[in-house]
Amino acid sequence: MIALGIETSCDETAVAIVQDATKVLSNIVSSQVKLHSPYGGVVPEIAARHHIEVIDSLANEAIKKAGIAWNDIDIVAATYGPGLATSLIVGLNFAKAISLRLNKPFVAVNHIEAHLFSPFLNNSCVDHSDIKQPFLALVVSGGHTCLIKVNKIGDYLLLGTTVDDAAGEAFDKGAALLKLGYPGGPLIDNLAKKGRKTSIVFPKGEVSKLPKNSTLDKKLCFSFSGLKTALANYIKNNPEVLNDEEAKANLAYAFQEAIVEVLVYKTLMALKKENLSLLCIGGGVSLNSRLRSVFEKYAEEDNYRLLLASKEFCIDNAAMVAGLACLNRSVAGEESLNVDVVPDLMI
Ligand code: KG4
Ligand code: ZN
């Protein structure tokens, strides 16, 4: 089965062709970082306009790179949420139009579910039987921090999430406070490599109170807004730190450590609590070098199997959308053509 995937939930325009769920034939991502960085974050109107301008030529490029013809496509998939409404609309409608033109089924895909599936793409360490077993997924991105028990693809139990900022959002806000630029994750990651452990310790993202009606276990939930405030206060009380490269690197190190530690600690707790031995990690923050190395270290010590998304599939991409659509077609067929965007879709 050959799937065409489209992803436009935020500021990346992405088109991909995937065969039989996991074999990526082409993966085209057009980043808009340069357009948004002067504003310190994504401007929805600019993002949507750019998606419209490039999506058609990216789709043609994806077909060409995959070495297939339009008629070889069996299903067409696009993200319908969560994300920016104006951005989602572009990809969703483009994909629906292609599905109608080719007369092939359309599958609407949940973006968080696509990230959760991304570690299986082009991964020589897995086969299809791995995808059928229960596992724990950690999805860490600019918009989400979710611990999900996957009974099987399509059958999920949300175990924990953030009660305020997402982990990537914390990196982005921290980088802005450190005057590093946007997006903040890679900038903090690089600066922290030059830093070392000092006496600076930031709060570890524990949750004191869950929102009313929440049935989640607060021990498996995250809170990153206090960390951002702690960094802001530190800089306010020590403004000279911004002009001292070594002190700034040490600060970036402590800030990154606080985020990574809580992600690792709660993920290991969830693995034990749910008695799971396979851990899959995806989303933009899973590019973080410290996060990857700490999880790898614990995988050896704690005897769980770790599947990290390959770097090209961590950030938003359409291969994860096309791949997932081959397996989970719960929002598929004629009905799916009536699906609208759902900006606040959860798992
Ligand atoms: O998955 P993604 O591309 O978009 C969302 O679905 O949100 O994730 C983007 C996020 C941004 O917040 C960015 O700062 C973060 O991923 N990120 C990183 C790194 N690279 C990207 N965070 C920490 N370390 C990195 N190396
Ligand atoms: Zn994402």
Side-chain angles (χ1 to χ4, degrees):
M1 173 184 287
I2 292 188
L4 164 74
I6 308 273
E7 156 62 47
T8 61
S9 66
C10 191
D11 61 337
E12 264 98 21
T13 325
V15 185
I17 308 288
V18 173
Q19 186 170 20
D20 299 334
T22 56
K23 189 173 172 205
V24 181
L25 302 183
S26 66
N27 181 40
I28 313 286
V29 182
S30 163
S31 166
Q32 301 180 7
V33 164
K34 280 200 187 123
L35 296 176
H36 300 284
S37 55
Y39 305 95
V42 177
V43 182
E45 291 78 3
I46 295 179
R49 204 179 314 137
H50 191 72
H51 289 317
I52 294 170
E53 280 166 13
V54 301
I55 196 159
D56 194 27
S57 64
L58 294 186
N60 281 304
E61 196 183 332
I63 294 283
K64 204 170 153 199
K65 273 218 166 135
I68 60 160
W70 282 99
N71 274 336
D72 295 328
I73 293 168
D74 299 304
I75 53 169
V76 181
T79 307
Y80 74 109
L84 299 169
T86 45
S87 284
L88 288 163
I89 283 169
V90 179
L92 187 71
N93 286 316
F94 183 79
K96 283 181 183 176
I98 292 180
S99 132
L100 284 169
R101 173 68 182 80
L102 297 176
N103 198 20
K104 292 290 158 69
F106 173 69
V107 185
V109 167
N110 179 323
H111 182 77
I112 303 174
E113 192 185 351
H115 272 305
L116 154 173
F117 176 72
S118 61
F120 293 101
L121 295 169
N122 275 5
N123 192 334
S124 54
C125 304
V126 300
D127 59 40
H128 273 250
S129 65
D130 290 318
I131 303 174
K132 290 191 184 127
Q133 66 167 294
F135 63 91
L136 181 72
L138 172 65
V139 175
V140 264
S141 69
H144 312 283
T145 311
C146 300
L147 276 170
I148 302 153
K149 181 180 182 189
V150 181
N151 294 313
K152 61 177 193 309
I153 294 294
D155 179 2
Y156 310 111
L157 175 67
L158 181 69
L159 300 173
T161 185
T162 176
V163 295
D164 40 56
D165 294 348
E169 207 176 344
F171 272 110
D172 293 337
K173 288 180 177 171
L177 289 167
L178 288 166
K179 307 245 180 296
L180 296 177
Y182 173 84
L187 298 166
I188 291 191
D189 192 348
N190 282 334
L191 184 59
K193 282 181 193 150
K194 298 181 203 143
R196 62 183 165 81
K197 193 171 163 52
T198 56
S199 56
I200 310 165
V201 179
F202 285 120
K204 290 289 181 291
E206 284 299 340
V207 177
S208 49
K209 214 169 145 212
L210 284 176
K212 266 190 200 155
N213 305 330
S214 174
T215 53
L216 297 173
D217 177 354
K218 77 175 181 187
K219 288 203 207 89
L220 297 180
C221 291
F222 306 88
S223 167
F224 291 110
S225 65
L227 173 62
K228 173 198 65 195
T229 310
L231 179 64
N233 287 339
Y234 186 93
I235 294 171
K236 197 169 143 209
N237 295 331
N238 307 275
E240 68 288 352
V241 79
L242 294 182
N243 301 318
D244 177 337
E245 276 312 303
E246 192 185 335
K248 206 162 132 174
N250 292 341
L251 199 53
Y253 179 94
F255 186 77
Q256 173 174 274
E257 216 52 22
I259 298 176
V260 170
E261 262 183 40
V262 73
L263 289 172
V264 171
Y265 166 69
K266 295 200 175 215
T267 303
L268 298 187
M269 199 190 321
L271 272 174
K272 290 212 170 73
K273 190 175 172 212
E274 298 298 328
N275 201 17
L276 295 165
S277 57
L278 175 61
L279 171 62
C280 292
I281 308 182
V285 178
S286 64
L287 273 174
N288 186 268
S289 57
R290 178 74 179 147
L291 181 114
R292 292 177 89 88
S293 70
V294 177
F295 270 115
E296 273 161 359
K297 178 178 138 238
Y298 280 111
E300 282 168 24
E301 288 171 11
D302 271 32
N303 275 334
Y304 59 86
R305 194 167 155 223
L306 175 65
L307 296 182
L308 284 162
S310 359
K311 294 196 173 170
E312 62 183 311
F313 306 125
C314 288
I315 54 148
D316 286 348
N317 65 87
M320 61 185 190
V321 175
L324 181 75
C326 294
L327 297 175
N328 185 12
R329 301 175 61 182
S330 58
V331 193
E334 253 174 52
E335 249 172 56
S336 65
L337 290 172
N338 296 325
V339 170
D340 203 351
V341 300
V342 184
D344 58 355
L345 185 67
M346 255 322 264
I347 195 100

